[in-house]
Amino acid sequence: MPMTSVLLADITGSTALYDRLGQHVAMERVSTMLARLREIAEGNGGRCIKTQGDDALCRFDAPGAGYAAARQMLSEPWPHGLNLHAGLYWGEAEETPGDMFGDAVNVAARLATLAKAGEILAGNAAVEALDDTAREAFLPIGRIRLKGKAEATRVYSITQGASDGRTTIAGGFAALTRARTESAEFRSDDGVWHLTEGQSLTVGRAEDCDIRLSEPWVSRQHGRLELRGAVLEYADHSSAGSAVLPEDGPAVDVHRRAVPLMGTGVLLFGTGDQSAAGARLSYATNDLIPE
């Protein structure tokens, strides 16, 4: 795959705009912003490969061009309460008609998910490919574990203004011993669920559970997943127990207690059989790791 600079910019503030102005007017204003993001990409020698929802996926042949476009997008005086957060990475990507795939796209998307409004997060490959002046604009904030990569990716931040708008690692003594989990994804054969800060999901056979599993040995209210204080925890409430199988660590049996989850792995409910699809849930977290 060819090397390319990938910038994924995601508009923030559109939900409030739709609530305030209605779908037609809000859609027009979001579309205008997406068109401007396309103009900025093209003005810096790149191309907007596609827009989907509130996202614009752009590619550039040189790292400096992607960086220049990102800085211009960040400094643009976006109206109507809209803003953006974005991910920037330099790596392999393959373009197809109307889309793009590859390592650089995956990393840029994960970084965009982690970035706050008015912030661009860049991976080390993107920053190290820049000249000294451009590199000085970024602040190193930690590392992120990405599925499929042997080592954690160093993450750098650049913001519109003061550092209080920057993604940060949880401070104090806890920062020395654990990562800051920003979001998590859970998958079964029947669906995909996401958690961000302050949210929770219940797991079990009962109809009112957020994640319903079908096997008879899964309890009606088997457990609860919660992301709070930048820590993702699974709490088992069942009679049969659960098992946590991290991709890069030993299995852990859980019964009537809570355990933290990081990285990627599998949760099994009421069984140790990984082939029991109706009692299996895979997980993947976005973790910022202290230096």
Side-chain angles (χ1 to χ4, degrees):
M1 287 186 182
M3 297 290 286
T4 189
S5 181
V6 176
L7 175 64
L8 192 144
D10 187 6
I11 297 174
T12 60
S14 60
T15 301
L17 199 67
Y18 279 97
D19 288 342
R20 189 170 71 250
L21 301 178
Q23 182 170 346
H24 180 71
V25 175
M27 187 176 296
E28 282 187 348
R29 295 184 177 178
V30 169
S31 297
T32 299
M33 183 170 173
L34 288 171
R36 179 59 183 151
L37 292 175
R38 183 185 295 272
E39 289 176 358
I40 292 172
E42 293 173 351
N44 286 278
R47 289 190 299 116
C48 182
I49 303 301
K50 69 173 183 178
T51 58
Q52 183 173 355
D54 291 347
D55 296 344
L57 178 63
C58 309
R59 72 170 298 174
F60 306 83
D61 291 334
Y67 164 74
R71 287 299 303 266
Q72 187 175 347
M73 290 178 184
L74 201 62
S75 62
E76 192 85 357
W78 302 113
H80 314 304
L82 297 174
N83 206 333
L84 63 82
H85 57 104
L88 178 68
Y89 200 68
W90 169 255
E92 293 184 333
E94 186 74 38
E95 186 175 344
T96 61
D99 211 341
M100 189 165 55
F101 304 91
D103 180 65
V105 180
N106 295 335
V107 176
R110 294 287 295 277
L111 294 175
T113 299
L114 289 171
K116 295 181 178 179
E119 179 183 42
I120 294 172
L121 293 182
N124 58 289
V127 176
E128 291 165 4
L130 300 173
D131 60 35
D132 291 343
T133 301
R135 284 200 299 268
E136 289 176 359
F138 288 92
L139 176 71
I141 62 169
R143 295 174 294 145
I144 178 174
R145 289 194 180 99
L146 294 173
K147 186 175 182 180
K149 284 188 169 293
E151 297 183 0
T153 300
R154 292 183 180 274
V155 180
Y156 297 79
S157 168
I158 188 167
T159 65
Q160 289 170 328
S163 60
D164 58 359
R166 197 184 302 273
T167 298
T168 57
I169 304 297
F173 178 77
L176 302 177
T177 58
R178 65 167 174 82
R180 178 184 178 90
T181 297
E182 300 285 339
S183 61
E185 179 183 273
F186 305 91
R187 289 180 176 268
S188 74
D189 287 350
D190 296 325
V192 180
W193 299 264
H194 295 89
L195 277 183
T196 56
E197 178 63 31
Q199 296 181 333
S200 63
L201 293 166
T202 54
V203 184
R205 283 190 299 109
E207 291 186 3
D208 58 350
C209 285
D210 299 306
I211 301 176
R212 294 187 62 195
L213 300 174
S214 60
E215 298 290 2
W217 52 79
V218 176
S219 296
R220 290 180 55 77
Q221 300 287 341
H222 203 101
R224 180 184 182 90
L225 295 154
E226 185 171 26
L227 179 51
R228 190 171 299 278
V231 177
L232 175 65
E233 281 193 342
Y234 169 67
D236 179 83
H237 300 153
S238 71
S239 56
S242 307
V244 181
L245 284 65
E247 189 174 90
D248 57 356
V252 178
D253 291 326
V254 188
H255 190 206
R256 301 293 176 90
R257 64 186 179 95
V259 294
L261 303 178
M262 287 177 54
T264 58
V266 172
L267 287 164
L268 298 174
F269 303 92
T271 180
D273 183 3
Q274 292 197 52
S275 66
R280 173 190 169 98
L281 194 66
S282 63
Y283 65 87
T285 63
N286 285 318
D287 299 318
L288 285 173
I289 307 166
E291 294 286 5

